[in-house]
């Protein structure tokens, strides 16, 4: 009997050691926060991430997209903080919306830093992008991949914008960032900060005259129906997106699951970049033609006209370069120049 008892106790002890290593507890659902959902490219890439992860995990990791920044009461600038606290499991987040908590992300909002898509890639895939991921990783958020929301072009209901003077007095909806306020103030406009959920009604009623967003937002949201009849292609800033997981949540996954999440994010990000750029390039201007077909005038700036906007915003650029970190911005500038 003593021998049998020893054997039994030994087996219990062995099972106790084995169980924690083999058991994996999953939530019934992991929440992904986004500002906009499908059919916007932003939402589509988040859904693609969830689909790939569910498939590769054999249905063990179920992720659901919550658009409209609904997990933070619609205040998109609180998303990063909620992730740090583990309130939000995952996000495909905007560099603009996270910049209040991660000052270095203001890099992408420096006016006219990135003249083309190759410049965006040179920064996100280069030393500056790597450094930014290290900074985010030190704040209890695990960044996995760079997606894209696209260049932010300006539209309004009043007139064509070809020079800074054309913006004088126009009420322009901007995101909740002081850098955007200062940029549009320097151009003579009247910037008004509000969430995207509030922006469309404000455009409809004329409470604001215009807005700045990627053209994919313009087409899907049908902004031509709320008076936006004048679009200027100036590519003054771009908005890379970041696939990320809250570190408290990340730490609950096994290394194998973490690899699934990371690889799926990379795949979904590539898909997102592709659809964000579709139809707005010289090789494929289909979206631009679609917008013009809606009775919207598209203004394409000459190099000289664009330089006038750059000159008007240079004091803002220089001021924020120091705030963001001169070394980081210089590195980004070098990557752009070498592209």
């Amino acid at each position: 009997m003593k021998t049998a008892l020893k054997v039994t106790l030994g087996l219990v002890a062995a099972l106790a050691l084995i169980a924690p290593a083999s058991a994996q507890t999953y939530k019934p659902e992991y929440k992904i926060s986004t500002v906009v959902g499908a059919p916007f490219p932003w939402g589509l890439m988040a859904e693609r991430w969830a689909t790939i992860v569910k498939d590769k995990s054999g249905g063990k990791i179920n992720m659901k997209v919550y658009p409209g920044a609904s997990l933070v009461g619609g205040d998109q600038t609180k998303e990063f903080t909620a992730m740090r606290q583990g309130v939000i499991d995952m996000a495909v987040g905007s560099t603009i919306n996270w910049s209040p908590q991660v000052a270095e992300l203001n890099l992408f909002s420096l006016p006219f830093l990135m003249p083309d898509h190759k410049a965006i890639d040179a920064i996100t895939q280069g030393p500056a992008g790597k450094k930014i991921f290290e900074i985010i990783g030190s704040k209890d958020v695990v960044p996995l991949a760079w997606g894209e929301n696209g260049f932010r072009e300006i539209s309004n209901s009043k007139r064509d914008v070809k020079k800074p003077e054309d913006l004088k007095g126009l009420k322009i909806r901007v995101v909740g960032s002081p850098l955007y306020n200062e940029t549009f103030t320097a151009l003579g406009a009247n910037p008004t900060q509000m969430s995207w959920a509030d922006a469309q009604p404000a455009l409809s009623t004329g409470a604001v005259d215009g807005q700045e967003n990627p053209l994919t937002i313009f087409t899907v949201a049908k902004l031509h129906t709320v008076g936006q009849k004048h679009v200027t292609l100036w590519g003054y800033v771009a908005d890379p997106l970041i696939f990320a997981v809250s570190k408290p949540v990340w730490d609950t996954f096994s290394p194998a699951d973490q690899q699934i999440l990371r690889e799926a994010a990379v795949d979904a990000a590539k898909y997102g970049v592709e659809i964000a750029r579709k139809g707005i390039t010289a090789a494929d201007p289909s979206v631009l033609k679609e917008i013009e077909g809606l009775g919207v005038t598209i203004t394409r700036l000459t190099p000289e006209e664009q330089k006038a906007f750059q000159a008007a915003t240079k004091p803002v650029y220089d001021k924020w370069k120091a705030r963001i970190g001169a070394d980081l911005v210089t590195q980004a500038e070098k990557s752009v120049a070498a592209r």
Side-chain angles (χ1 to χ4, degrees), residues 174-175 177-186 191-193:
V174 297
V175 295
S177 164
L179 176 48
Y180 284 76
N181 258 353
E182 293 180 28
T183 296
F184 278 89
T185 298
T192 303
Q193 292 185 349

Side-chain angles (χ1 to χ4, degrees), residues 15-253:
L15 288 171
L17 290 172
I18 294 170
S22 60
Q24 174 72 56
T25 302
Y26 298 97
K27 289 185 178 183
E29 175 186 283
Y30 293 91
K31 295 178 172 62
I32 308 175
S33 178
T34 66
V35 172
V36 294
F40 297 96
W42 194 336
L44 290 173
M45 69 182 85
E47 290 187 350
R48 176 68 67 93
W49 186 24
T51 299
I52 296 172
V53 169
K54 184 173 183 178
D55 180 56
K56 289 191 173 182
S57 69
K60 293 180 294 185
I61 305 175
N62 292 292
M63 299 154 64
K64 182 179 178 181
V65 179
Y66 285 80
S70 57
L71 299 177
V72 283
D75 187 347
Q76 53 215 56
T77 62
K78 292 182 178 178
E79 187 177 69
F80 188 81
T81 299
M83 285 192 71
R84 296 186 70 181
Q85 297 169 344
V87 175
I88 291 175
D89 301 315
M90 299 147 182
V92 179
S94 161
T95 54
I96 300 169
N97 294 334
W98 291 5
S99 63
Q101 291 80 39
V102 186
E104 291 81 2
L105 289 176
N106 284 294
L107 170 71
F108 299 101
S109 296
L110 286 173
F112 304 102
L113 168 63
M114 297 164 287
D116 51 37
H117 290 123
K118 288 184 178 179
I120 301 174
D121 296 339
I123 295 175
T124 59
Q125 307 306 314
K130 181 179 179 182
K131 179 62 178 177
I132 288 173
F133 267 23
E134 290 174 357
I135 293 167
I136 292 173
S138 71
K139 298 179 182 290
D140 295 324
V141 172
V142 181
L144 303 179
W146 288 100
E148 189 170 309
N149 194 27
F151 279 108
R152 301 179 74 88
E153 314 294 8
I154 189 167
S155 71
N156 78 92
S157 61
K158 301 296 185 183
R159 52 185 174 265
D160 295 341
V161 173
K162 297 182 179 180
K163 54 187 182 298
E165 292 77 10
D166 293 331
L167 281 170
K168 187 174 181 180
L170 289 184
K171 294 173 288 185
I172 305 295
R173 177 266 174 181
V174 297
V175 295
S177 164
L179 176 48
Y180 284 76
N181 258 353
E182 293 180 28
T183 296
F184 278 89
T185 298
L187 292 169
N190 179 14
T192 303
Q193 292 185 349
M194 62 178 64
S195 70
W196 180 241
D198 295 330
Q200 287 174 277
L203 290 167
S204 179
T205 62
V208 293
D209 301 313
Q211 58 86 51
E212 45 79 52
N213 254 314
L215 292 180
T216 51
I217 300 288
F218 189 98
T219 54
V220 177
K222 297 181 169 49
L223 294 186
H224 68 286
T225 65
V226 289
Q228 300 301 285
K229 298 296 185 180
H230 307 272
V231 171
T232 294
L233 304 181
W234 63 344
Y236 83 120
V237 300
D239 184 21
L241 303 178
I242 299 173
F243 287 71
V245 180
S246 167
K247 192 171 188 306
V249 176
W250 179 258
D251 289 342
T252 67
F253 291 113

Side-chain angles (χ1 to χ4, degrees), residues 288-315:
L288 300 177
K289 290 181 179 180
E290 177 188 346
I291 293 172
E292 287 177 317
L294 298 170
V296 177
T297 300
I298 294 182
T299 298
R300 296 162 175 83
L301 299 181
T302 66
E304 291 73 23
E305 288 171 335
Q306 192 168 49
K307 285 178 182 177
F309 286 95
Q310 286 180 281
T313 56
K314 190 176 186 304

Side-chain angles (χ1 to χ4, degrees), residues 321-336:
K321 179 174 181 176
R323 286 189 177 184
I324 294 165
D327 290 345
L328 179 66
V329 177
T330 299
Q331 180 61 71
E333 291 169 343
K334 289 180 179 178
S335 294
V336 171

Side-chain angles (χ1 to χ4, degrees), residues 254-324:
S254 68
D257 286 339
Q258 290 175 353
Q259 184 175 353
I260 288 173
L261 285 161
R262 189 182 301 277
E263 290 178 352
V266 171
D267 288 347
K270 288 179 180 177
Y271 164 73
V273 170
E274 179 182 330
I275 58 175
R277 297 179 182 181
K278 185 177 181 181
I280 59 172
T281 64
D284 175 18
S286 56
V287 169
L288 300 177
K289 290 181 179 180
E290 177 188 346
I291 293 172
E292 287 177 317
L294 298 170
V296 177
T297 300
I298 294 182
T299 298
R300 296 162 175 83
L301 299 181
T302 66
E304 291 73 23
E305 288 171 335
Q306 192 168 49
K307 285 178 182 177
F309 286 95
Q310 286 180 281
T313 56
K314 190 176 186 304
V316 177
Y317 185 109
D318 292 341
K319 173 185 174 181
W320 279 84
K321 179 174 181 176
R323 286 189 177 184
I324 294 165

